[in-house]
Amino acid sequence: MPDGRHHHSRRGQRMDHFDPSELTQAFEQLMRTKRFNRLQEQSRSRSRTQSPAPMSPSPYNTPPHPSRAPPPPPTAAQSPTPSTPQPSSRSPLWGLPIVPAPPQDSASLKFRNLLHVLSVTPTKYENPGLLDEALALIPLDRLYSEAEEESQIFQAQAASVRGKAEWGYQDCVIRALLRWFKRSFFQFVNNPPCNRCFMPTIAQGMTPPTPDETARGATRVELYRCSEPTCGAPERFPRYSDVWQLLQTRRGRVGEWANCFSMFCRALGGRVRWVWNSEDYVWTEVYSEHQRRWVHVDACEDAWDQPRLYAEGWGRKMSYCVAFSIEGATDVTRRYVRSPAKHGAPRNRAPEEVLVWVIQEIRKKRRDNLGKTDLKRLTKEDDREERELRAYTTSALAAELNNILPRHSSSRLDEQKRQEAETEFLTTRRAGQSGPDRSSDGQ
């Protein structure tokens, strides 16, 4: 007869060595099976409605794997109206394949046009005259000296543990540029001071830009009035999108900061992305050759590689985060929203199939003139980044499961230990042995 105590200890040992990755795989397989069953049910319901001609059974008519099953066409009752796009029922975080589809309704077309307009922003950084002008303003000797010193520190730290340095020299150059740009070059402006008496101003609303402001890239102008009663002078604050003009004004808010800083990174030879967030925020990503990945950089916040800053640090809910570069576009929302249930906003501007189609369209447009070697390199980078973004989703799911299971496992183990102690105590009493305090355990 087996010993119950050994049985309980083996169960407890298995619970202690619980592997969350196995449960993650089981969960993903469960979601695939559930989706496949739903597709089969919808297919059967359409067959009963349309009454197609019966097909002879064939051993080759096996259903496809759920991860490769194409989405069913919408029925008449489910077809969305052209004016109101319905968000895709398939979340991109499930890891299921999404078949790209061109926009059909007006809202999806509007979203496509917006993304194409935004994708032009990083192409403006390729003007050689602009880059030369930026380099003339950057204290290169100071930045390179700081980068060399910081790089040596990273190398010494890595050598002490026989590992790889966290950041390379080029990364340290961008980090030095970030500090200089934040602390010495650009100025954040809420209410611009009065040009006459330098007193604070009060917002009065918006006003159309003048022809001169429009020529210099002002898309809109904010109007202010001096708060000093004896002055009351009006103050205009054009919101310039032209980087040439930002080199002169050296002031603005988040949009101007990200735009100008991204151009400076490009001037120093970095590969740059300008990241647009649909909740009215922008920042920069710089490619690290040392780590072979894109790194989050926010010049306004002096933040380096802190992608969780907005969702988890600020508690901001975000729906779309799209990165644009001279090499295309990428949906990087999963890098910044690790828990869609907590920090995700509805993605209802267009179906997910349309977003994938537009991303691919922009990539093709930007990469048409590249050679085979560059195309192959970019394709490998895209695949590597996709694995990185999927890993964020898997890690977030595993973390949520770990937050639940250990507490449950601990309670079960405590119950098992209590039962084992009771069994040992009763066995000791029946045998007439001494108790734990070595005293007689008689009646």
Side-chain angles (χ1 to χ4, degrees):
M1 181 176 180
D3 190 352
R5 288 178 294 177
H6 292 184
H7 175 67
H8 287 302
S9 63
R10 286 195 297 270
R11 288 174 53 191
Q13 185 177 7
R14 287 197 299 269
M15 293 299 293
D16 289 337
H17 291 80
F18 169 74
D19 186 4
S21 63
E22 297 180 0
L23 187 57
T24 301
Q25 295 175 359
F27 175 78
E28 292 177 349
Q29 182 61 37
L30 177 63
M31 298 304 295
R32 296 191 190 100
T33 304
K34 181 178 179 181
R35 171 168 172 75
F36 178 60
N37 293 338
R38 185 169 67 250
L39 291 174
Q40 280 190 322
E41 181 62 28
Q42 292 177 356
S43 179
R44 284 194 293 267
S45 63
R46 287 198 307 274
S47 299
R48 289 192 296 268
T49 303
Q50 299 173 0
S51 301
M55 295 179 60
S56 59
S58 171
Y60 300 102
N61 290 335
T62 57
H65 190 274
S67 65
R68 297 185 178 181
T75 61
Q78 296 175 340
S79 298
T81 59
S83 59
T84 57
Q86 299 296 325
S88 173
S89 60
R90 295 174 297 174
S91 170
L93 303 182
W94 283 12
L96 298 175
I98 297 178
V99 180
Q104 301 292 338
D105 53 84
S106 58
S108 296
L109 289 170
K110 181 179 179 181
F111 189 50
R112 170 189 175 272
N113 294 336
L114 172 63
L115 294 180
H116 272 273
V117 171
L118 295 173
S119 70
V120 177
T121 299
T123 64
K124 300 176 181 178
Y125 308 151
E126 302 305 306
N127 187 321
L130 174 64
L131 299 180
D132 290 342
E133 182 75 15
L135 285 175
L137 298 173
I138 299 176
L140 295 176
D141 292 340
R142 169 186 164 185
L143 265 58
Y144 289 149
S145 176
E146 292 180 5
E148 180 65 28
E149 181 179 355
E150 188 177 38
S151 177
Q152 292 178 0
I153 293 175
F154 283 126
Q155 292 177 7
Q157 292 174 345
S160 64
V161 294
R162 297 182 179 180
K164 178 183 177 181
E166 183 178 6
W167 302 106
Y169 174 74
Q170 183 63 23
D171 303 326
C172 295
V173 171
I174 302 299
R175 287 164 60 91
L177 174 69
L178 174 64
R179 292 188 293 267
W180 168 78
F181 188 87
K182 165 74 174 180
R183 303 169 190 176
S184 304
F185 185 77
F186 222 73
Q187 178 185 4
F188 194 92
V189 175
N190 277 322
N191 289 28
C194 176
N195 277 331
R196 293 183 181 178
C197 61
F198 302 102
M199 294 294 291
T201 58
I202 303 174
Q204 301 293 310
M206 305 296 294
T207 186
T210 64
D212 180 65
E213 293 168 338
T214 302
R216 290 185 289 171
T219 55
R220 62 188 188 277
V221 177
E222 299 172 358
L223 186 62
Y224 295 85
R225 185 169 297 278
C226 181
S227 60
E228 178 62 34
T230 58
C231 179
E235 181 68 25
R236 301 172 65 88
F237 183 39
R239 303 299 304 275
Y240 292 112
S241 60
D242 183 70
V243 192
W244 285 93
Q245 186 61 28
L246 294 179
L247 292 179
Q248 309 302 321
T249 62
R250 304 186 185 185
R251 67 175 188 172
R253 299 203 190 102
V254 176
E256 290 88 346
W257 278 68
N259 197 10
C260 191
F261 177 76
S262 298
M263 185 272 299
F264 271 116
C265 293
R266 190 73 186 109
L268 288 180
R271 294 176 57 195
V272 179
R273 279 175 171 175
W274 179 78
V275 185
W276 168 80
N277 170 235
S278 56
E279 282 68 41
D280 195 24
Y281 202 77
V282 288
W283 58 87
T284 307
E285 283 184 351
V286 179
Y287 190 79
S288 170
E289 296 290 349
H290 184 75
Q291 294 203 6
R292 301 178 68 194
R293 66 179 178 91
W294 289 95
V295 179
H296 157 261
V297 189
D298 190 331
C300 266
E301 300 298 322
D302 197 7
W304 171 270
D305 197 23
Q306 299 180 33
R308 300 187 180 189
L309 171 66
Y310 314 114
E312 300 176 26
W314 297 356
R316 175 183 290 237
K317 292 184 178 294
M318 299 188 290
S319 54
Y320 297 95
C321 300
V322 184
F324 300 98
S325 71
I326 59 172
E327 298 156 345
T330 304
D331 181 9
V332 293
T333 309
R334 287 171 288 176
R335 177 174 292 127
Y336 299 95
V337 182
R338 304 293 176 88
S339 176
K342 293 181 180 179
H343 306 115
R347 292 166 62 96
N348 51 15
R349 293 202 177 192
E352 294 298 327
E353 294 83 356
V354 172
L355 177 60
V356 174
W357 189 87
V358 176
I359 292 292
Q360 293 181 357
E361 184 183 32
I362 296 175
R363 283 184 181 178
K364 184 178 184 304
K365 182 178 180 180
R366 296 284 177 258
R367 300 179 183 182
D368 265 347
N369 298 326
L370 296 180
K372 292 183 179 180
T373 303
D374 291 333
L375 287 175
K376 185 177 180 180
R377 172 181 57 83
L378 292 175
T379 300
K380 289 183 178 180
E381 288 182 3
D382 295 338
D383 294 340
R384 187 164 56 244
E385 183 174 28
E386 179 61 26
R387 290 194 297 269
E388 174 193 349
L389 298 177
R390 287 181 180 177
Y392 292 142
T393 303
T394 305
S395 299
L397 177 61
E400 292 180 4
L401 293 175
N402 276 331
N403 290 336
I404 299 174
L405 292 176
R407 292 194 296 269
H408 183 63
S409 304
S410 177
S411 62
R412 292 186 61 180
L413 288 175
D414 292 342
E415 179 66 19
Q416 293 169 7
K417 291 180 181 178
R418 187 184 65 81
Q419 292 177 0
E420 291 174 5
E422 290 179 356
T423 303
E424 184 176 1
F425 176 72
L426 292 175
T427 303
T428 303
R429 286 179 60 90
R430 294 191 187 98
Q433 298 176 357
S434 61
D437 59 354
R438 300 183 183 275
S439 61
S440 175
D441 198 23
Q443 298 292 333

